[in-house]
Each structure stands twice: as structure tokens, then as C-alpha cells.
Amino acid sequence: MSRFLSPEALRLDPYTPGEQPRDQQYIKLNTNESPFPPSPKVLEALSRAEVEKLYLYSDPTCAALNAAIAGRYGLDPENVISGNGSDEILAFAFRAFCGEGKGAAFADITYGFYEAQAALFGLEAKRVPLREDFSLSVEDYLDFPGTVVIANPNAPTGMTVPVSDVRRLLERDPERVVIVDEAYVDFGAESCVPLVREYGNLLVTQTMSKSRSLAGGRVGFALGDRELIADLNRVKYSFNPYNVNRLSLLAGAAAVEDEAYFQACCRAVRENRAWTVEALERRGFTVLPSSANFIFAKPDRIPGGELYRRLKEKGILVRWFDKDRIRDFCRITIGSREQMEALTERIDRLLAGE
Ligand SMILES: *Cc1c(COP(=O)(O)O)cnc(C)c1O
């Protein structure tokens, strides 16, 4: 750290991304990327002619991308904002809806970025413990006066909250914003998007990083009442007006327009998930019920940290959090069938004492 670091920056709590080591070729099951390439339509959209246009700024309004997203979700373009990943959208939302005397509440076990962003904006963060079984009790949030953030499905557990519970939260206090982070919703959870027209205090964030195979393209978006979206744009235009680059605007629109490819990828992940859950349960693992493209699994014979380390030695990366309540678990991204077979073979050898 330099002697120039501000006290504000000193108080930050930076998020630790999943490791991306380059010392060998790993089977990467640690950051919930898709095992599939983007839609062929994305490749077609990124023509040489479009690359040549990189000397021009991108469209700050993201008009074509927002229109494509709005069309896909049955909303108007004014209900959509796109971002450089949904992490950026979440930051806009924290800045727009929280501040002095208005903090944010989220689960004790959830996406680590909420904590990091709350610190970035100097917000008071209320961490609400999940139940013993890692389910979320909506009762615990009903009377919280600030912004509520719920990842649905949750990370790293993969577990869901019923839409009826979100509805209760929205109705309990129409003066409070509820952010539902649906980064993983396409893998089998019920979405809150149909509630967007009904509730002016609901913001749903989604991403193309997982179900649309564009993690490296950095395209996320939020859906909400047009006034909420206008608030987010106010923050965006105070921070980075050209937040989505030209190529990602094209890639995102092409990805969202290829519904058949998207559905096929999601189906393959769900099938591989079912296969993997069964395979691990047969090997004595406890696996939480997942609606995401990862599972949260606890081996019965070795500690979670040891599983993580020994898989890594053999070229398979999973995510392990050295954190109370979840230290016994590993979060394992659902990859291709070949990758999941390699995982279970490696686990068999490891459990056999090799
Ligand atoms: C991956 C993820 C995101 C956002 O990812 P981006 O790549 O920034 O779009 C948001 N929320 C959760 C819970 C995630 O796991």
C-alpha cells in the first residue's frame, strides 16, 4: 500500500475472484462459467467490419441491446439498463438506492460482492443469517428499512426463495427497494421478472456471464420500473457513460436473440447437474438442492478444504470458502459431462487413498 491511499480506500473490503492460475491446464469448475462457447450468432455478429469500428465510442444508451432484452422479457426498453457485467449494475443500484441512514440487508452466506460494494459506498450492511439448512427466511427482512438484496438462486448454495416470499417483501413496504439478483435463474428457478410491471420497488438483475456463455464479454442487465431504471442511469452517467463496449453490445444482443441455443445450453447444464448430484451422493456427499449451474457439496470422509486442495493438485479447480458455516463444503461448477466424469473419477481415486 502506498502512503497516498485514502482512508476511504483503506476501509474497502475487496472481493476475491475465483483463482485463474496459469501454471497448468485445469478443469475449471470454480467460477461458474458456462462450459459451452457463445452462440454461433455471437461469432457472426463480431465481424471484422465491427472490429474496425472500435475507433468510435459505443452507444451510451445501449439502445439495440436494451431493445433485444426488453423483447425477450416482454418489457419496454425503458425498463432495461445494461452494464459491464451485472456487478456494475449492482454497484449502480447500491449507489442509487442506499446511503446515509439507508443501508442494505443481505444474507450472511451469499454473493461476496454485496459486502464489497456496501464497503465501497460506505453503507451500513446488515448480514442476516440464513436458517440452519441454508434456506432464507423472508420474515427476517420484512421490517428492514433499507434496501434488501436477495440472490435467487443464492450463491454459493444454489438454493431458491419462492417468488411468493419476494412478493411479500415488496408489498410489506412499497417505499423500500428489493433487488433480486437472478444471475443463475435460467438454470431452473422461478424468475421475478413477471412482477416488474406490478411493483415499482422491484429491481431484477441478470447476467449473460453464465447462461449465455459471455463471462468474458461482461454483459449484465437489470429490469425494473422505468423510474428505477432512470435512477440507475443517473448513477451510470456520473460514472461511465460508455459502460458497455461496442463488441459486447453486439454479442449481448445476438446471444439474447438465439433462444434455441440458450435453451439447449441450460438444458445440458441441468442434465449434467442431475447426473453429478447423483454421482456425488452415491459417494457419500451431502449436496444442497441446487437450481443453479453449480452445486454446494460436502464430502463425508474428508474436510472440504482438503478436497479442494487435493483436486487442485490433480488439475481440477473448485471453489472453497474458508468461512464459518460453509468450511465443510466445496462449490463445484457444472461443466460438460466429460468434465464431471473426470471429477468423479478423481474423487474415487482420492477417496481410495491414492
Ligand atoms: C456471477 C454473479 C454475478 C455477476 O456476474 P457478472 O459477470 O458481473 O455479470 C452477480 N451475482 C451473482 C450471485 C453471481 O454469482
Side-chain angles (χ1 to χ4, degrees), residues 144-183:
F144 180 73
T147 300
V148 174
V149 190
I150 296 178
N152 194 34
N154 195 15
T157 64
M159 290 169 61
T160 59
V161 174
V163 168
S164 55
D165 277 359
V166 175
R167 210 183 259 283
R168 276 182 72 197
L169 264 179
L170 291 164
E171 285 176 3
R172 175 68 162 227
D173 182 0
E175 300 311 307
R176 165 187 60 197
V177 174
V178 176
I179 300 173
V180 182
D181 178 350
E182 294 191 346

Side-chain angles (χ1 to χ4, degrees), residues 13-154:
D13 181 14
Y15 175 72
T16 313
E19 56 194 325
Q20 316 270 7
R22 311 212 186 276
D23 56 331
Q24 60 164 308
Q25 274 288 341
Y26 285 94
I27 295 180
K28 250 188 113 281
L29 305 176
N30 69 329
T31 49
N32 300 341
E33 289 141 326
S34 171
F36 309 115
S39 153
K41 303 258 163 54
V42 170
L43 301 189
E44 282 166 32
L46 303 180
S47 63
R48 189 183 172 93
E50 293 297 342
V51 175
E52 281 174 349
K53 286 190 208 150
L54 281 177
Y55 71 99
L56 297 170
Y57 276 111
S58 58
D59 171 16
T61 69
C62 306
L65 175 58
N66 289 354
I69 294 168
R72 165 65 174 75
Y73 291 96
L75 294 165
D76 299 319
E78 293 74 24
N79 298 119
V80 184
I81 180 173
S82 294
N84 196 316
S86 58
D87 288 341
E88 185 186 57
I89 303 280
L90 288 165
F92 294 163
F94 273 102
R95 179 64 298 160
F97 307 123
C98 305
E100 231 175 84
K102 211 161 195 197
F106 41 82
D108 62 338
I109 307 293
T110 191
Y111 187 38
F113 218 63
Y114 307 149
E115 189 78 49
Q117 295 197 337
L120 174 63
F121 297 117
L123 306 176
E124 217 168 299
K126 183 175 177 200
R127 298 157 203 90
V128 185
L130 295 175
R131 294 193 189 99
E132 192 61 34
D133 66 356
F134 298 108
S135 61
L136 183 144
S137 159
V138 78
E139 306 285 333
D140 300 340
Y141 296 83
L142 285 179
D143 294 317
F144 180 73
T147 300
V148 174
V149 190
I150 296 178
N152 194 34
N154 195 15

